[in-house]
Amino acid sequence: VGRELGVRYLVEGSFRETGSQLRIGVQLVETAAGRLVWSQRFEGPRAEIFDLQDKITEQVVAAIEPNLMMAELELSRTRPTGELLAYELCLRALPLVQASATRQGVEEAIDLLERAIALDGTYSYAKALYCYAHAVAYAARWFNHKQARRVIPMADDVLLDHRDDPTSLAYVGHYLAYVGRQNAKGLQALDRALALNPNSFAALHSSGWIRSYTGDAKGAIELLHRALRANPLAPEFGHGLSALGYAFLIDGKLDEALSTLEKAYLEAPAFGITQIAMAWCLARLDRWEDASATVLRLLAHDETMKVSTFCAIMPSAEPEFVARYRTFLKEAGVPS
């Protein structure tokens, strides 16, 4: 198939039937080497074949994009550095942005993306990922607001590009709402991304975060459940769990929030937003000793953390919510 159609990747599947039960296997394969990139097995009763078909479609579409990105990254690493093209530079930058574990990693990603944009000034995906990297640096407080806002014109350029790439729209929608404080414009871009690809992890994940920040907790919970269900192997899965826990917190579902945030911490322990949300949740549950222990662990990882700086970067549309957040964090032991 790879030779005849000239394609690098192939989705193939098979099924077995036992009585009234169906077992369906789906896998994504690199055709040149026959290398397995991704696989999943689905089971269900024959009577629910249409529901099973929808489930398979949702998970295959959601899994293909990030797994293809990672497969392409592995291929690009085998080529001499001097032959890197703009797309391959983006592939190198993507896992650094997704991990968002260190300032050095994100700054390296920004450098790679600047090189990609210099090679092709019309490359919207590179511009969109560049904007998203600035949002990540701002959330981690490695960039101040002025530094993060400097690429707003580039985000606007991506929106003016009519190629309609859902991932690019998701990245700039998140950036414009979170950093640019342009909630309506950001949500419009995210809604368009979801209209183009309802199963895009990037679009579902970013839409969940932004809707949490703007007070639509129930909408955020629904979107984040879809994202996590569709692609449990996404590199940003831990960040998605953190977003879901935060949405539960806003919705007043404290037990669900704490359980989800604890899972998020295990998935991505360096993601500071998870720990500060856990501290707030524990304080609201009157578990002050646990809240203080969480704060001490957070401060051991980031001794610069303060209530004032965290609240300054939190783009909540509800001042009362921010005030409550500030009070509980102070009482849990986060410095003013």
Side-chain angles (χ1 to χ4, degrees), residues 144-268:
N144 61 35
H145 202 205
K146 183 178 180 180
Q147 289 173 302
R149 284 176 57 87
R150 69 185 179 93
V151 294
I152 285 179
M154 193 176 289
D156 289 332
D157 286 345
V158 175
L159 291 185
L160 291 173
D161 190 324
H162 296 291
R163 280 179 284 185
D164 287 339
D165 172 36
T167 304
S168 297
L169 288 169
Y171 288 155
V172 296
H174 190 127
Y175 171 83
L176 285 168
Y178 180 59
V179 176
R181 303 293 199 261
Q182 301 176 47
N183 291 339
K185 184 187 282 189
L187 286 169
Q188 184 176 12
L190 289 164
D191 287 344
R192 178 152 184 77
L194 287 171
L196 291 164
N197 184 357
N199 301 307
S200 165
F201 184 90
L204 290 165
H205 174 234
S206 287
S207 293
W209 268 122
I210 299 306
R211 280 177 169 77
S212 292
Y213 283 135
T214 56
D216 181 13
K218 288 182 170 52
I221 290 168
E222 192 273 329
L223 289 166
L224 291 163
H225 271 310
R226 281 171 54 192
L228 298 171
R229 182 178 64 248
N231 195 354
L233 299 179
E236 294 175 287
F237 188 79
H239 298 179
L241 281 171
S242 183
L244 179 60
Y246 188 82
F248 278 135
L249 201 52
I250 294 172
D251 202 33
K253 297 178 179 177
L254 302 183
D255 291 333
E256 291 96 325
L258 183 58
S259 173
T260 305
L261 290 166
E262 287 172 340
K263 293 175 185 175
Y265 177 71
L266 293 175
E267 287 280 343

Side-chain angles (χ1 to χ4, degrees), residues 96-140:
L96 297 172
V97 177
Q98 288 175 326
S100 61
T102 65
R103 179 171 188 160
Q104 181 181 355
V106 173
E107 288 180 342
E108 182 183 345
I110 287 173
D111 179 65
L112 290 167
L113 293 165
E114 285 175 348
R115 290 165 56 191
I117 294 165
L119 284 170
D120 184 356
T122 66
Y123 192 9
S124 286
Y125 176 76
K127 292 180 179 180
L129 187 55
Y130 188 64
C131 293
Y132 188 63
H134 279 70
V136 168
Y138 178 59

Side-chain angles (χ1 to χ4, degrees), residues 42-104:
F42 304 88
E43 297 184 13
R46 183 184 181 89
E48 297 177 6
I49 183 65
F50 295 114
D51 290 338
L52 191 58
Q53 182 180 25
D54 289 342
K55 181 180 178 182
I56 292 171
T57 302
E58 178 184 275
Q59 293 205 18
V60 168
V61 172
I64 281 178
E65 181 182 18
N67 283 282
L68 277 185
M69 286 286 191
M70 293 300 104
E72 289 284 281
L73 173 61
E74 290 302 316
L75 287 175
S76 75
R77 284 173 173 160
T78 66
R79 302 175 188 172
T81 303
E83 297 180 8
L84 288 176
L85 301 175
Y87 174 61
E88 292 168 325
L89 287 164
C90 288
L91 288 174
R92 293 279 182 93
L94 180 62
L96 297 172
V97 177
Q98 288 175 326
S100 61
T102 65
R103 179 171 188 160
Q104 181 181 355

